[in-house]
Amino acid sequence: MKTANNARYTKRPAGGVLYWAVSVLLVLTLFTTWMACGLFAKYLSTNDELDSARVAATGVKTFELLEHKVKNVSETDPTAVYEFVKDEFTSKGNTYDTVPPGYDLPKDPFVRLELVDAEVDYRLYVRVTKSEDFPDTIDVKLRDCWQPVPGQKDVYVYDGYFDAGQNYDCTGDKVIYILDNNLLYVSQYYAGETFDLSFEAWLAQVD
């Protein structure tokens, strides 16, 4: 089992020959909050002080989309390529310069959410967007707690409601992860293509 802070890789060589494909894999993490309620702005971002105040006024004390930074350790550790950097996070994603075929890439986007006495019910959504050139040799698998939203491309809803008047603390070790095993699964047939992957997260008021 691969862990979030100590990812190791399973060798899946093609024809018994392991080779290295050098590419640039830019994985961006975007943050958007969506609130469709009365007097508050429809789109709210924690990067804006005014919008953050409006978020707080609706009971949303914390709402962030982050992931651990990663570092290339292949020169010092022959059993690994990338590892998570403990206690270092980014909202802008990671770039993977060296992507070996058959070696799964550590990536752990997660939602850090805290609600205190919200006046409305919420549901949590994410959008996972692949670039047009995204190879079929990279498997992006979400955790079972995320279900596809019918009629909306690449949009998933978290399996659970956040009820008004209740407190929810999805911070610390209780954050809501998105990807299965915190990995991107790389096929042994990956040929070094360059591609992008982006994530968005938002809260929507339940009518």
Side-chain angles (χ1 to χ4, degrees), residues 26-122:
L26 178 61
V27 185
L28 300 176
T29 305
L30 306 178
F31 170 63
T32 305
T33 355
W34 175 35
M35 313 277 295
C37 49
L39 300 177
F40 298 106
K42 183 174 293 187
Y43 294 96
L44 305 171
S45 170
T46 55
N47 293 327
D48 184 285
E49 292 184 1
L50 176 61
D51 283 348
S52 295
R54 290 174 177 170
V55 169
T58 61
V60 184
K61 186 175 180 181
T62 303
F63 186 27
E64 298 174 295
L65 180 57
L66 302 170
E67 63 182 273
H68 276 91
K69 292 183 178 180
V70 298
K71 63 179 179 179
N72 191 321
V73 296
S74 58
E75 293 186 1
T76 57
D77 187 348
T79 67
V81 184
Y82 292 94
E83 287 187 349
F84 291 120
V85 181
K86 184 177 181 180
D87 298 328
E88 291 191 24
F89 306 98
T90 176
S91 62
K92 300 183 181 299
N94 287 289
T95 299
Y96 302 79
D97 298 309
T98 302
V99 183
Y103 282 79
D104 302 327
L105 296 172
K107 184 167 182 63
D108 67 341
F110 61 85
V111 175
R112 181 181 289 161
L113 174 65
E114 185 176 3
L115 296 172
V116 178
D117 295 329
E119 297 179 2
V120 298
D121 299 335
Y122 292 112

Side-chain angles (χ1 to χ4, degrees), residues 3-202:
T3 64
N5 291 316
N6 190 20
R8 287 292 185 269
Y9 303 85
T10 302
K11 182 178 178 181
R12 298 193 295 271
V17 178
L18 175 66
Y19 65 98
W20 290 77
V22 179
S23 69
V24 177
L25 169 59
L26 178 61
V27 185
L28 300 176
T29 305
L30 306 178
F31 170 63
T32 305
T33 355
W34 175 35
M35 313 277 295
C37 49
L39 300 177
F40 298 106
K42 183 174 293 187
Y43 294 96
L44 305 171
S45 170
T46 55
N47 293 327
D48 184 285
E49 292 184 1
L50 176 61
D51 283 348
S52 295
R54 290 174 177 170
V55 169
T58 61
V60 184
K61 186 175 180 181
T62 303
F63 186 27
E64 298 174 295
L65 180 57
L66 302 170
E67 63 182 273
H68 276 91
K69 292 183 178 180
V70 298
K71 63 179 179 179
N72 191 321
V73 296
S74 58
E75 293 186 1
T76 57
D77 187 348
T79 67
V81 184
Y82 292 94
E83 287 187 349
F84 291 120
V85 181
K86 184 177 181 180
D87 298 328
E88 291 191 24
F89 306 98
T90 176
S91 62
K92 300 183 181 299
N94 287 289
T95 299
Y96 302 79
D97 298 309
T98 302
V99 183
Y103 282 79
D104 302 327
L105 296 172
K107 184 167 182 63
D108 67 341
F110 61 85
V111 175
R112 181 181 289 161
L113 174 65
E114 185 176 3
L115 296 172
V116 178
D117 295 329
E119 297 179 2
V120 298
D121 299 335
Y122 292 112
R123 296 210 73 179
L124 176 63
Y125 294 82
V126 297
R127 177 181 285 111
V128 183
T129 304
K130 301 176 182 178
S131 58
E132 292 184 0
D133 56 354
F134 201 90
D136 58 10
T137 50
I138 303 292
D139 187 12
V140 182
K141 183 179 179 181
L142 273 63
R143 297 192 176 210
D144 292 340
C145 58
W146 296 99
Q147 302 300 320
V149 176
Q152 296 194 43
K153 183 180 179 181
D154 304 324
V155 176
Y156 302 83
V157 61
Y158 182 67
D159 186 16
Y161 287 83
F162 297 95
D163 297 323
Q166 301 295 318
N167 296 339
Y168 297 89
D169 185 3
C170 301
T171 63
D173 59 358
K174 301 177 183 178
V175 297
I176 302 171
Y177 288 101
I178 298 174
L179 294 180
D180 180 58
N181 286 325
N182 295 331
L183 291 171
L184 292 177
Y185 296 107
V186 182
S187 166
Q188 62 184 6
Y189 301 108
Y190 172 68
E193 301 94 333
T194 299
F195 60 88
D196 296 336
L197 180 67
S198 67
F199 294 83
E200 298 174 75
W202 66 91

